[in-house]
Amino acid sequence: MHKKPLFMEHDGAIDDLLAQLLILTMDQYELIGINVSPADCYIGPAMESTWKILKAFGKENIEIGRSDASGTNDFPAAWRAKTAIINGLPAILRLPEAPETWSAPEASDLLARKLLESKHPVTILMTGPCTNLVKTLEQTPEIREKIESIIWMGGAFRTGGNVQTFEHNGSAEWNVYWDPESSRRLLEMELPITCIPLDATDKVPVTMEFLKDLSRGKQTLASELAGQFWALTIDTIPGYHYTYFMWDILAASYLEIPEAFRVEEIKASVSTRPPNAGQTIENASGKNIKVAFEIDKEAFYSYLLKQLSKT
Ligand code: AGV
Ligand code: CA
């Protein structure tokens, strides 16, 4: 069977690393590269965890790019710092030292090179802001025809957002809000994008019940690491929209179980100004995108349990 080439653009939060773990268990896809952006992470610790997870699965020859992008609206420092805890877990500490962060290829160079080199069109899974993707497309427009589709954890269409800060009315999702202008330009490009927004991810919180099921299943490298990563998210303050959800790992699962999602084709645009900067708005004069509004929760949770107990 020909495996479909997949490139991952992530931003180093625990959830992104869980999505990375999940794609390493997939049979239908071959991961051809990962870029890390310093959005919901600090770059050094996130590059280290990203490499170590590849190493744990014997996949350390997959190249990792480092983005030096900056967003208009920074993630809270306490969220960004959290990835460093991953590097303190015994199973991660026992792995060899990761390569030096600053010797990694620059992210837009890596993405352009991997797409141009690929024989088949590439699927891009994006679980952080789109700044690097937009930069790469603007620098190297010929990569456009090498893109099979883009799956983006981003947006909040028919539900409230998760940004709670000054000069904001709460209508935006963080990955879009980090860089509203690039997000606006991405939609303008009319690429084949499927968004997995808060409308879908709000339905799949990280629950103790799920973690219990995971802990009682077959113990594998993937299930043990995932269980430990999720345990680190349990102290996320409940209420105030701060509950931890399965944002990025839900988006990753779309690659293998698209039938578990209800997707609609809509027209949308992105606001770039207060009080709703980063809001993704359904509107008749917007651009075409696909948006997942519903997820079959049972199908998703059982897919996760099956995948994570495989190897
Ligand atoms: O808005 C969801 C995005 C996802 O890509 N991130 C987390 C996921 O990686 C931002 C985010 C929202 N709430 C958070 C976030 C929280 N409580 N902690 C860390 N990041
Ligand atoms: Ca993320």
Side-chain angles (χ1 to χ4, degrees):
M1 189 184 74
H2 147 68
K3 288 195 178 197
K4 300 177 208 160
L6 174 68
F7 194 99
M8 183 175 193
E9 283 275 335
H10 79 53
D11 70 335
I14 291 180
D15 193 37
D16 298 78
L17 299 173
L18 280 156
Q20 182 189 333
L21 242 172
L22 183 68
I23 62 180
L24 292 171
T25 71
M26 293 180 182
D27 292 324
Q28 298 174 35
Y29 289 87
E30 188 198 344
L31 186 60
I32 61 166
I34 302 182
N35 279 333
V36 185
S37 291
D40 202 355
C41 69
Y42 290 103
I43 197 67
M47 293 287 288
E48 182 177 340
S49 328
T50 301
W51 183 85
K52 287 204 167 187
I53 293 166
L54 290 179
K55 177 71 185 170
F57 288 85
K59 299 274 177 70
E60 71 277 12
N61 49 3
I62 296 172
E63 281 188 85
I64 304 171
R66 186 198 72 247
S67 163
D68 301 322
S70 54
T72 314
N73 303 297
D74 283 345
F75 277 90
W79 293 1
R80 298 183 65 188
K82 199 127 184 194
T83 312
I85 304 179
I86 299 282
N87 298 327
L89 296 173
I92 298 290
L93 282 168
R94 280 192 292 267
L95 294 162
E97 290 290 312
E100 224 276 308
T101 297
W102 303 99
S103 64
E106 194 278 326
S108 65
D109 290 343
L110 181 68
L111 179 58
R113 172 157 58 83
K114 288 292 169 186
L115 289 174
L116 293 173
E117 272 172 18
S118 180
K119 263 202 276 177
H120 302 281
V122 176
T123 303
I124 298 175
L125 171 66
M126 193 157 64
T127 59
C130 62
T131 315
N132 182 63
L133 174 63
V134 170
K135 175 184 173 187
T136 312
L137 279 155
E138 286 173 353
Q139 281 173 355
T140 319
E142 57 276 27
I143 62 168
R144 191 184 168 112
E145 55 212 56
K146 288 303 197 70
I147 298 177
E148 170 75 24
S149 64
I150 297 163
I151 314 303
W152 188 20
M153 191 285 119
F157 291 84
R158 297 174 188 166
T159 187
N162 62 4
V163 170
Q164 319 242 309
T165 190
F166 300 99
E167 232 184 5
H168 207 280
N169 65 8
S171 59
E173 183 280 324
W174 262 102
N175 288 341
V176 183
Y177 176 65
W178 195 70
D179 186 350
E181 176 54 26
S182 290
S183 306
R184 185 189 69 76
R185 295 218 291 275
L186 179 65
L187 257 62
E188 291 295 319
M189 289 176 186
E190 302 193 275
L191 295 153
I193 300 183
T194 303
C195 283
I196 314 295
L198 298 185
D199 306 69
T201 62
D202 275 351
K203 287 160 187 144
V204 287
V206 178
T207 64
M208 275 297 177
E209 204 186 328
F210 173 83
L211 295 189
K212 215 182 264 177
D213 288 345
L214 179 67
S215 74
R216 289 174 184 172
K218 187 171 139 208
Q219 283 182 28
T220 62
L221 177 63
S223 74
E224 288 294 294
L225 286 178
Q228 289 178 15
F229 290 10
W230 268 314
L232 299 174
T233 70
I234 293 299
D235 68 338
T236 307
I237 307 162
Y240 315 109
H241 297 282
Y242 278 68
T243 309
Y244 215 87
F245 291 91
M246 296 195 184
W247 296 283
D248 299 347
I249 199 166
L250 179 68
S253 77
Y254 182 79
L255 296 167
E256 285 207 319
I257 51 163
E259 69 283 357
F261 293 73
R262 190 177 62 73
V263 175
E264 275 182 52
E265 215 165 315
I266 66 163
K267 288 185 188 295
S269 59
V270 177
S271 165
T272 55
R273 295 188 191 163
N276 63 337
Q279 184 184 7
T280 44
I281 305 160
E282 236 181 309
N283 94 50
S285 54
K287 301 295 179 190
N288 288 317
I289 53 165
K290 289 185 181 165
V291 177
F293 284 102
E294 294 287 342
I295 171 69
D296 176 345
K297 232 173 121 158
E298 294 312 312
F300 168 60
Y301 285 137
S302 61
Y303 167 73
L304 282 186
L305 294 172
K306 178 184 83 156
Q307 285 301 118
L308 294 172
S309 61
K310 252 175 53 181
T311 38

